[in-house]
Amino acid sequence: MHPTARTASVAVALTMAAGITACGSSGGAGVAADKKQTLTVWAMGAEGEKLAEVAKVYEDANPNITVKVTPVGWDVAHQKLVSAAAAGTLPDMTQMGSSYMGEFAELGVLEPVDTKTFKKDAFFPAAWEQGVVDGEVYGVPWYVETRVLYYRTDLAKKAGISKPPTNWAELQQAATAYQDKAGTQWGLHLQSSGLDAVQSFSPFLYSAGGSIVADGKATMDSPEAVKALKEYATYFEKGLSNKSFQPGYEVLTDFNSGDVPMFYSGPWTMTGINNDYPDLKGKWAIAKVPADQVSASMAGGSSLVVSKDSEHKEAAKEFLSYLTDTKGQEDWFKRSGDLPANISAWDSGELAADANFKIFREQMETAQPWPVEPQWTEISSKADEAISQVTQGKASAEDAAKKAQSAIEGLVK
């Protein structure tokens, strides 16, 4: 999982923007791709380590290119990118989380993507949209993730549940049955409050057809968003989910013990269960998000961008192509476990044969990206506050949404 870092505000970045043009060295044709050169790349978290392996393979096939990969922790990534943008020292290429894209595009430090080389139809729609700002494409999708429902199949049998829930009514019935008949402490884990509670809320929001920002306008108080807030709150009102939020909480501990029989999470959790809880083998499964209007979840992942000031744009484009074409994406999945953004990479091998990966692929088809807004971290924090208000019984869904709507309207660009 790749959390949203909030170590520096967008406001700080925007005040730096005035000095960026003067600091940069953009201009001219730059170095041709076939010339001897060094390509600098930043990648975050575990991806930074794995990308260094790929870079060595690429260098062997392209001896004129040295790829210098610098791993950057997600906890400091935003601050480092802001500082580098202000100083005109961004690397030639960098990995960029979806929550950063609007901010750095607005700063004017990203090179537009050559859409003749990188085709929209090659990628999942939600992944492509994460790189589009005001109609211009700035990021090439690298890998994707979305959330699905994890559930205990052995406890489902005790609860009299014969199939995974497919809609909201069935989800709440299952949560109740787990408690009443299988003796679980909770029915479904949902985050009640705190940073990024909006991620936990997103399967409800998007399945109801809601949004937080759409078409450049705040939509937090739409009927669909309010409906999702009401449904989310019922789990806390009925004692099906824990009202207490514990920072750093690890749901797999309670999933293993049986205290939590259902929760939403991404593909990395399959690895966590298999590696850390081998006794759960054969006792769990995943399913698509239970639907209201549609089965929909949030789309996450990362894109790759090129610095506008880079003197190595042509070499960067070729390395980008290598990383995001079908073979490159298949190789990256084998090395990292990250799900490919390129759809064709799913057509063979484990991704095509494994039943769980098929579920993730289906969920990605309807997944919704967060809006690409320069002040998204501030916007999402207002949604977090609304979620906390309703789960703690301090405000109705209508009042919490109305308050968040007013705050978000002043942040939308």
Side-chain angles (χ1 to χ4, degrees):
M1 180 166 55
H2 311 296
T4 299
R6 302 191 189 202
T7 53
S9 71
V10 177
V12 172
L14 293 176
T15 59
M16 292 178 174
I20 291 176
T21 302
C23 294
S25 58
S26 185
V31 181
D34 60 352
K35 299 298 182 182
K36 191 171 182 63
Q37 59 195 290
T38 297
L39 193 62
T40 57
V41 184
W42 287 1
M44 318 315 177
E47 279 73 27
E49 303 296 337
K50 295 295 182 182
L51 186 57
E53 298 175 8
V54 177
K56 291 179 181 179
V57 176
Y58 186 76
E59 288 174 343
D60 289 342
N62 299 271
N64 62 305
I65 303 292
T66 299
V67 182
K68 182 180 179 182
V69 178
T70 300
V72 179
W74 278 108
D75 57 337
V76 298
H78 184 263
Q79 181 61 65
K80 286 182 68 70
L81 286 167
V82 168
S83 299
T89 56
L90 281 170
D92 298 305
M93 282 176 54
T94 189
Q95 176 185 357
M96 185 156 288
S98 57
S99 61
Y100 300 167
M101 192 67 70
E103 174 184 355
F104 286 91
E106 183 169 270
L107 289 175
V109 296
L110 305 182
E111 180 72 8
V113 169
D114 176 5
T115 54
K116 293 182 179 179
T117 299
F118 302 96
K119 304 291 187 179
K120 176 180 179 178
D121 292 346
F123 303 94
F124 285 109
W128 184 264
E129 289 302 317
Q130 289 177 34
V132 180
V133 183
D134 295 332
E136 187 73 76
V137 184
Y138 292 99
V140 179
W142 189 18
Y143 63 85
V144 296
E145 58 99 341
T146 189
R147 310 298 162 88
V148 298
L149 182 70
Y150 285 75
Y151 66 101
R152 286 283 297 266
T153 52
D154 57 336
L155 297 177
K157 291 179 181 178
K158 291 183 179 180
I161 301 167
S162 60
K163 63 181 181 65
T166 60
N167 57 48
W168 281 5
E170 291 178 359
L171 179 64
Q172 197 162 129
Q173 289 165 7
T176 302
Y178 272 120
Q179 275 191 327
D180 293 347
K181 298 179 181 180
T184 63
Q185 183 175 7
W186 310 107
L188 171 68
H189 170 68
L190 298 172
Q191 186 175 327
S192 62
S193 58
L195 181 67
D196 290 334
V198 69
Q199 294 192 16
S200 180
F201 173 59
S202 64
F204 292 83
L205 177 68
Y206 288 135
S207 291
S211 57
I212 296 172
V213 176
D215 299 324
K217 295 181 180 179
T219 53
M220 190 68 199
D221 66 348
S222 69
E224 295 82 3
V226 171
K227 181 181 182 182
L229 272 175
K230 285 182 177 179
E231 183 69 16
Y232 197 81
T234 60
Y235 285 87
F236 301 92
E237 294 166 1
K238 295 180 178 182
L240 295 169
S241 295
N242 190 354
K243 279 188 177 182
S244 300
F245 170 61
Q246 305 166 21
Y249 171 73
E250 178 47 70
V251 70
L252 287 186
T253 301
D254 287 342
F255 189 64
N256 180 56
S257 70
D259 286 341
V260 169
M262 296 190 294
F263 65 99
Y264 290 106
S265 191
W268 59 86
T269 299
M270 293 193 297
T271 302
I273 294 173
N274 292 333
N275 290 346
D276 299 334
Y277 300 97
D279 290 344
L280 283 178
K281 185 176 181 179
K283 299 177 181 179
W284 64 277
I286 63 172
K288 289 176 63 178
V289 168
D292 178 42
Q293 299 300 312
V294 67
S295 170
S297 190
M298 63 167 281
S302 282
S303 298
L304 293 167
V305 300
V306 175
S307 169
K308 191 172 184 178
D309 284 350
S310 171
E311 293 294 330
H312 308 280
K313 292 186 179 72
E314 291 304 313
K317 186 167 73 171
E318 291 196 359
F319 189 44
L320 258 175
S321 295
Y322 178 83
L323 294 174
T324 60
D325 67 13
T326 303
K327 289 184 179 180
Q329 292 270 278
E330 290 173 345
D331 177 67
W332 182 247
F333 168 70
K334 291 175 183 177
R335 293 175 185 274
S336 68
D338 290 338
L339 301 183
N342 190 315
I343 298 171
S344 63
W346 293 73
D347 293 338
S348 62
E350 184 181 2
L351 285 166
D354 186 276
N356 285 335
F357 286 126
K358 288 181 180 180
I359 291 172
F360 274 104
R361 177 173 183 165
E362 290 175 8
Q363 197 70 76
M364 271 304 304
E365 296 289 352
T366 59
Q368 299 293 315
W370 294 124
V372 184
E373 287 284 330
Q375 299 196 62
W376 173 245
T377 53
E378 285 76 9
I379 291 169
S380 64
S381 72
K382 302 305 179 185
D384 289 342
E385 291 170 11
I387 293 165
S388 177
Q389 288 289 302
V390 298
T391 63
Q392 303 306 308
K394 295 180 179 179
S396 67
E398 290 86 354
D399 288 345
K402 184 177 180 180
K403 181 179 178 182
Q405 173 77 9
S406 179
I408 292 169
E409 284 176 341
L411 295 169
V412 174
K413 295 294 183 180

